[in-house]
Amino acid sequence: MLCFDVDGETTALSEDPALVSRVTTMSQCEYGPNIGVPRLLGLLDHLQVPATFFVPSYIAEHHPRMMEAICTRGHEIGAHGHLHEKLAHVSPDEERAILEKSVGILERITGKRPIGYRAPWFEINPGTPDLLHEFGFLYNASMMADDVPFTHPNGLIEIPGQWLLEDWEQFAFNAEPAWGFIPENCSKVFDLWWREFEAMHDFGCCFVLTLHPWLSGRPSRVRLLEELLVKAHERGHVWFARGNEIAAYVRDHPEARRELNFDTP
Ligand SMILES: [Zn+2]
């Protein structure tokens, strides 16, 4: 599952609204929706690979042409907060209000109610799965408890991720405010992700790669993604799927669910 978290300007604005006057910092964030997404859509067209775009509703409102370009290609739009709010820092009532607002905006813009959710910074609260279920979501893609999808007690499906398969840790950098680390060499990152892909393939796992267009839309990183997708395709026995397809498969095939088993290695 290929996920693009299109955080754009909310990367800065969720940290501090005053950053709106930091023109260069904001311009780096805008690079994602304006330049990164179109370039990545071109790659997905070229390779015929479907993807899920988790978009804060503030970004959806401010980049209508980007939204149209994603939707007309059949990719999935998932919810990702309004202004990329950190859920650990909001009350249950605020969390509900943010979800209601963001779902409403995405539905108005795309004509479809989102059924997939990715929490900003991957972090959910104890009540989040029940809230998502109440709002009609089919799946959440925020937890890290397994490496195949699983089902919450309320029926919500979870498509788990992991920090290893995230580009922020590899590529994010801003001088001030200080974000990220020294940007990594793409060869190192390819090796990191490919080794995990191969091992997950052997173990029959769900490889969930999470990329931010302001980082992974830069030219050498688009090439890195192309190499990874081509090599994964050549490896064979791989299903490239959007989150909504994976969640529907898990829902319709309860026999495919993994039970915890400590007896068999
Ligand atoms: Zn995000």
Side-chain angles (χ1 to χ4, degrees):
M1 176 181 174
L2 195 51
C3 312
F4 294 100
D5 289 7
V6 192
D7 300 338
E9 297 92 318
T10 68
T11 311
L13 298 178
S14 64
E15 182 176 317
D16 181 2
L19 289 173
V20 74
S21 62
R22 295 293 195 87
V23 176
T24 299
T25 295
M26 292 305 294
S27 73
Q28 182 176 220
C29 297
E30 288 160 11
Y31 181 94
N34 291 338
I35 309 298
V37 169
R39 185 174 286 145
L40 289 161
L41 286 174
L43 176 67
L44 299 179
D45 283 355
H46 175 61
L47 297 178
Q48 297 278 289
V49 171
T52 296
F53 290 73
F54 293 107
V55 187
S57 49
Y58 175 94
I59 296 298
E61 279 185 315
H62 285 76
H63 297 278
R65 290 184 60 207
M66 176 196 80
M67 293 298 287
E68 198 186 336
I70 295 171
C71 293
T72 54
R73 286 166 168 82
H75 301 299
E76 178 189 10
I77 300 287
H80 195 46
H82 177 67
L83 205 63
H84 207 262
E85 298 87 354
K86 275 187 180 156
L87 293 188
H89 299 184
V90 302
S91 70
D93 284 349
E94 286 168 324
E95 182 177 345
R96 172 181 290 275
I98 292 165
L99 195 63
E100 195 163 14
K101 180 177 184 176
S102 58
V103 165
I105 292 171
L106 293 183
E107 188 172 10
R108 172 169 55 77
I109 290 176
T110 67
K112 270 188 201 165
R113 200 173 164 85
I115 60 164
Y117 180 79
R118 156 77 46 77
W121 300 99
F122 279 94
E123 193 68 53
I124 61 168
N125 288 324
T128 306
D130 282 342
L131 192 62
L132 293 174
H133 186 250
E134 183 191 322
F135 273 74
F137 281 87
L138 178 59
Y139 76 93
N140 180 34
S142 311
M143 289 177 65
M144 304 189 178
D146 204 336
D147 40 38
V148 292
F150 59 92
T151 308
H152 289 265
N154 66 7
L156 181 74
I157 289 155
E158 184 72 39
I159 305 177
Q162 53 163 318
W163 291 117
L164 171 63
L165 298 178
E166 243 265 355
D167 62 353
W168 179 280
E169 293 68 29
Q170 309 305 324
F171 297 137
F173 180 80
N174 193 58
E176 209 233 315
W179 295 338
F181 317 93
I182 299 299
E184 287 287 356
N185 183 317
C186 285
S187 302
K188 179 223 127 171
V189 179
F190 180 87
D191 189 54
L192 184 76
W193 291 347
W194 178 251
R195 283 173 181 274
E196 184 67 357
F197 176 87
E198 273 210 303
M200 290 185 95
H201 189 279
D202 286 350
F203 280 101
C205 300
C206 183
F207 181 88
V208 180
L209 186 64
T210 296
L211 306 174
H212 299 80
W214 73 274
L215 300 169
S216 285
R218 295 280 174 184
S220 60
R221 296 158 188 172
V222 176
R223 285 202 172 160
L224 154 65
L225 180 59
E226 180 174 16
E227 273 178 61
L228 193 75
L229 293 172
V230 167
K231 207 166 166 187
H233 179 74
E234 287 169 359
R235 183 73 172 72
H237 302 289
V238 179
W239 183 33
F240 295 90
R242 299 180 302 259
N244 54 8
E245 296 172 289
I246 296 170
Y249 181 87
V250 174
R251 179 195 60 202
D252 298 339
H253 295 79
E255 72 282 3
R257 286 179 201 158
R258 176 155 80 188
E259 302 296 330
L260 290 181
N261 184 351
F262 295 99
D263 300 324
T264 313

